[in-house]
Amino acid sequence: MKKSPSPKPQQPNRTVSIIGTGSYVPERVLTNADLEAMVDTNDQWIIERTGIRERRIAKEGEFTSHLAAAAARSAMANAGVAPEEIDLILVATITPDTFFPSTSCHVQRLIGAKNAACFDVNAACSGFLYSVEIAQQFIANHTYDTVLVIGADKLSSIVNWHDRNTCVLFGDGAGSAILRSREGSHGVITTFMGSDGTLGDILHMPGGGCALPVTKENADQHFNTLHMNGRETYKQAVTSMMKAAQKALEQSGLTTADLKCIIPHQANIRIIEALASRLHLPMEKFHINLDRFGNTSAAAVAIALDEANRIGRFHRGDYILLVVFGGGLTFASSVIQW
Ligand code: UT7
């Protein structure tokens, strides 16, 4: 009789922490005044309706993988981790350099992480937290020890620069984190993830895939750019972020009073204000940088996390909440003990 292979010995799950963070934004600044010269808009409208003052735009030849690799180097330095130690690279993006190879494979080449497995995660603006959850599962069950998670987007490459409803909102950038098991704090306590595919068409790019391939006719109709129903997206953003925050708090057994800092998706200051009011939390608890970077999609929450970490908004042992939503629809929230 053929001998069946013996299963791997069961090891108890281990806790998973973010041991370092990083970020990168392109040098070029696009201000609201610059946009006034491009479309029928004005600084006052943009600030009052969104809170955004300026955003960063990648230069010619600077791709999502370059932004991601720069953010990865920043996180590796912060964590004291060498490229060869990375077992898995996850890049959350909706603006990959190429459909394939994945952007994470491009990043692997750029940073020399030769021992890593690589794949991309597409959950739009929620992609970074989806990736944190994937990383946490792989590390908790001992498949991998060190995972590099990156949220990176070059939304300037898919924005319709003639559409004032959308072009004022977005920017380019990347944020990253390195996850490992670490003694001394619980780390990622829980992540709640949700989606609603019936609402996909309120925020989407219809073209470029097999449904509407890249042709001159399709490009002329702007199918290869981002389309958004702003008011509907706004409504769904508030509802879904609220739901995600409540679920993650419930799952972790914590309340808002336990939280040192909240890192929300950086889409619109009014969305964050609505969330703060519903959670009965003061705005001071929220880390906000959308005034400087606009909405950088999958990168937004990751850049904000890195900034908040570096300026010491929380310390080892503190509880923080990250909460996001994005196209799909997708939404997610993580409770982390730093
Ligand atoms: O990661 C997720 C990405 N998306 C979001 O988070 C977006 C969520 N939605 C929003 O943030 C808001 O809905 C917007 C900022 C996009 C728009 O704000 P709003 O208060 O919902 O404005 P609106 O769409 O109801 O438009 C009000 C007016 C309209 O003019 P009329 O029809 O009242 O004459 C728009 O045409 O503002 C006009 N408008 C603009 N005016 C000057 C729209 N965009 C602009 C603009 N500059 N850039």
Side-chain angles (χ1 to χ4, degrees):
M1 214 171 81
K2 216 170 159 191
K3 214 174 138 193
S4 57
S6 52
K8 266 195 198 166
Q10 284 289 317
Q11 289 176 281
N13 271 3
R14 52 186 174 172
T15 58
V16 180
S17 292
I18 292 179
I19 62 158
T21 60
S23 59
Y24 172 80
V25 289
E27 268 167 43
R28 187 180 153 212
V29 176
L30 184 73
T31 64
N32 291 350
D34 296 330
L35 283 161
E36 285 179 9
M38 295 162 62
V39 285
D40 180 16
T41 190
N42 59 78
D43 181 50
Q44 191 190 351
W45 189 96
I46 302 173
I47 292 176
E48 280 177 11
R49 300 291 179 118
T50 73
I52 301 167
R53 289 172 186 275
E54 57 187 44
R55 65 291 287 146
R56 301 300 181 94
I57 304 293
K59 63 183 178 219
E60 190 78 24
E62 193 174 30
F63 306 145
T64 299
S65 64
H66 299 124
L67 312 179
R73 288 189 195 102
S74 150
M76 287 189 293
N78 187 247
V81 163
E84 302 76 33
E85 294 177 68
I86 296 167
D87 302 312
L88 175 67
I89 302 175
L90 299 171
V91 176
T93 188
I94 50 165
T95 49
D97 292 22
T98 49
F99 270 142
F100 68 91
S102 65
T103 301
S104 51
C105 282
H106 290 300
V107 170
Q108 175 183 40
R109 170 175 47 78
L110 291 169
I111 65 173
K114 58 182 185 198
N115 298 316
C118 302
F119 65 95
D120 288 358
V121 175
N122 181 336
C125 305
S126 308
F128 181 76
L129 288 194
Y130 270 57
S131 303
V132 164
E133 172 64 1
I134 297 167
Q136 120 87 28
Q137 295 291 342
F138 273 127
I139 298 168
N141 73 15
H142 302 262
T143 304
Y144 294 124
D145 290 325
T146 307
V147 180
L148 167 62
V149 169
I150 306 169
D153 267 310
K154 183 181 172 179
L155 279 200
S156 64
S157 67
I158 60 163
V159 159
N160 176 353
W161 289 102
H162 301 290
D163 175 14
R164 70 173 184 175
N165 293 296
T166 53
C167 77
V168 302
L169 304 174
F170 300 102
D172 302 333
S176 62
I178 294 186
L179 285 88
R180 244 185 201 170
S181 184
R182 177 178 62 190
E183 297 294 310
S185 81
H186 195 288
V188 182
I189 297 172
T190 191
T191 298
F192 169 80
M193 302 191 295
S195 308
D196 184 351
T198 65
L199 293 170
D201 61 358
I202 67 171
L203 175 56
H204 67 146
M205 185 171 86
C210 66
L212 282 171
V214 183
T215 61
K216 187 176 175 319
E217 294 70 38
N218 289 341
D220 286 347
Q221 294 182 68
H222 298 292
F223 288 144
N224 299 96
T225 61
L226 181 152
H227 293 243
M228 183 180 73
N229 175 340
R231 278 189 199 173
E232 193 52 33
T233 306
Y234 185 102
K235 257 176 29 200
Q236 294 298 333
V238 176
T239 320
S240 59
M241 283 171 90
M242 190 61 198
K243 176 178 171 180
Q246 282 173 327
K247 286 272 184 190
L249 282 169
E250 236 171 74
Q251 285 172 13
S252 61
L254 297 175
T255 70
T256 50
D258 299 309
L259 299 172
K260 185 72 191 275
C261 185
I262 296 99
I263 319 272
H265 179 46
Q266 309 281 321
N268 186 323
I269 191 71
R270 292 186 293 137
I271 293 175
I272 299 174
E273 283 166 355
L275 187 68
S277 144
R278 285 167 200 217
L279 287 170
H280 305 292
L281 280 168
M283 280 297 278
E284 296 71 52
K285 283 224 173 182
F286 288 72
H287 187 76
I288 293 157
N289 62 15
L290 60 85
D291 51 324
R292 286 172 289 128
F293 304 132
N295 181 349
T296 55
S297 185
V301 75
I303 297 173
L305 175 68
D306 180 47
E307 265 191 7
N309 179 26
R310 284 173 196 260
I311 62 174
R313 287 206 63 164
F314 44 80
H315 298 99
R316 192 73 71 87
D318 286 338
Y319 294 107
I320 64 170
L321 173 80
L322 294 88
V323 57
V324 293
F325 79 97
L329 288 189
T330 55
F331 39 95
S333 185
S334 295
V335 174
I336 297 175
Q337 187 183 28
W338 201 252

